[in-house]
Structure formats: C-alpha cells, structure tokens
Amino acid sequence: MVVNYSLREVARRYLDSEKLSGPIRLIGELIASGAFSRASFDGLMKTEGLSGAPKLKEILLDLTLVFTRDCVEDHELSEAEIDELEILIAIFRITEGDFYELRRDAVQEIISAQAMWMLEDRYVTDQEEILQRDLQRLFGLSYDQYVGLLHPLAKKHIEELESRRLATQDRGELKSIDSSIQNLRSVFLVAR
C-alpha cells in the first residue's frame, strides 16, 4: 500500500521527535508552517542571517534526507512525493553532486536499503527499477555513481546466489537462480 507523505507532515514529526536548535529548527519550522516557498526560505535566510551559517548545505541535505527516508519507507515514491522532493531540492538549491560529495554514506544507505528489499525475491521488477531511477535522479547521481554505490551489494547477493546454485540439484531452482543472477548482472552491471 502506497503511503503519501507530505513535506509539512514529515517536518512536524521531525521537529516533535528531535531536539533541534539553530538553523535546522528554523528551517524545519518554516516547512512545517505550510508557508514554505522559495521566497519564504530566502526571507528566512536573510532575516536570520543563515546564508553564512556553518555547514548550511549539509543541514539542507540532511533535511531533504529526512523527508526522503519517510517517503521510501513503503518502497515507493508517489508522484506527489517526487514533486515535493523536487521542490525541496530546488528551494534549497541543491545541485547535482551535492549529495554524493557531502552525504554519500546516507545516500548509499537509502539506496542500498531499497535494493536489499528489491532483491528479496531475487528479481528486479520494472516498478522497482523506476524507484531506483527516481532516487538516482533526485540525489543527482550519475549512472556510474549510482552503480558504484550499489555494486558491492549486488556482487555480494550474486555470490550468495551462486553458492545456492552449487548446493542444489533441482532444475526449477537452478533455472530460477540463473535467471536471478542474469537479471542482477544486467541491472547492476556486475561482471562474471
């Protein structure tokens, strides 16, 4: 079941659950207020003198990651969630490469968690590929960066499947394992 998260709702929950102060609290409060826009964000930056705040870009990336984690909890991104993420990224002026450069581990964690869920059935569906492509695009990752983040996970999963393949004699199971390995190699570009 798809659960649609709103940026405003996630910001409220985040503010209630965390002891936040400084720029992150002010920005979170603006988002939760429902008055969040480029003009209101720029106004907050100016009136509170946040433009020169230390680690501002990282704070903005972290707030975006909070929303992203909630959105992908159900292993899907609705059009509304994608739209809100794109708006957030645009208002925060997050550019291609920012996530990879400054929050690579967090991005890898999110993408890997989704990939591990996808790999449970040993086959990547079109819908699951779309989710990964949406995440790749939203995080501003090149295809090589995306594959590089997932390559170790896919390689490990293929090795596990190859071990299972050696341990079975069942033709149906062998066919299923071979199909899964082929699918994973093609999606994640893992060489033999």
Side-chain angles (χ1 to χ4, degrees):
M1 181 176 114
V2 176
V3 178
N4 286 314
Y5 288 96
S6 77
L7 184 56
R8 186 176 180 185
E9 166 192 330
V10 170
R12 274 193 202 129
R13 275 200 325 265
Y14 184 58
L15 287 168
D16 291 343
S17 68
E18 302 285 331
K19 295 199 184 315
L20 305 172
S21 61
I24 198 164
R25 173 156 283 290
L26 293 170
I27 297 166
E29 287 172 347
L30 175 62
I31 295 168
S33 75
F36 184 64
S37 67
R38 176 161 277 175
S40 65
F41 176 73
D42 290 348
L44 177 70
M45 293 291 107
K46 186 174 182 175
T47 59
E48 296 294 331
L50 298 178
S51 295
K55 306 266 186 193
L56 179 63
K57 182 64 87 171
E58 288 87 343
I59 290 169
L60 300 176
L61 292 170
D62 290 341
L63 284 169
T64 306
L65 288 165
V66 166
F67 183 58
T68 305
R69 282 186 187 99
D70 275 12
C71 289
V72 297
E73 209 170 80
D74 62 357
H75 309 294
E76 294 188 42
L77 275 173
S78 69
E79 286 301 317
E81 291 168 338
I82 290 171
D83 290 345
E84 285 202 314
L85 277 164
E86 287 174 340
I87 289 167
L88 189 64
I89 288 167
I91 290 172
F92 285 170
R93 293 172 180 85
I94 295 170
T95 59
E96 193 169 304
D98 285 346
F99 281 107
Y100 191 78
E101 181 182 327
L102 300 170
R103 292 295 184 256
R104 184 180 315 180
D105 290 344
V107 168
Q108 185 171 25
E109 175 191 319
I110 291 170
I111 290 175
S112 293
Q114 294 307 306
M116 285 173 54
W117 171 79
M118 287 170 28
L119 296 174
E120 283 179 4
D121 66 359
R122 301 183 312 198
Y123 194 80
V124 180
T125 66
D126 289 342
Q127 186 174 354
E128 292 166 344
E129 255 189 272
I130 290 169
L131 170 64
Q132 287 293 315
R133 197 174 8 191
D134 287 341
L135 289 172
Q136 175 192 344
R137 185 177 49 80
L138 289 166
F139 287 137
L141 301 173
S142 71
Y143 185 73
D144 289 341
Q145 289 170 334
Y146 163 77
V147 169
L149 291 174
L150 283 179
H151 193 270
L153 174 69
K155 186 174 181 180
K156 179 179 177 241
H157 199 71
I158 289 170
E159 288 169 357
E160 289 171 6
L161 286 169
E162 287 173 339
S163 293
R164 286 185 46 203
R165 184 175 185 241
L166 294 173
T168 188
Q169 298 296 322
D170 182 279
R171 285 191 181 273
E173 180 72 6
L174 286 170
K175 187 175 180 177
S176 173
I177 290 171
D178 285 341
S179 175
S180 296
I181 290 171
Q182 183 179 10
N183 177 258
L184 292 172
R185 284 187 199 279
S186 68
V187 172
F188 297 109
L189 301 178
V190 177
R192 292 185 182 271

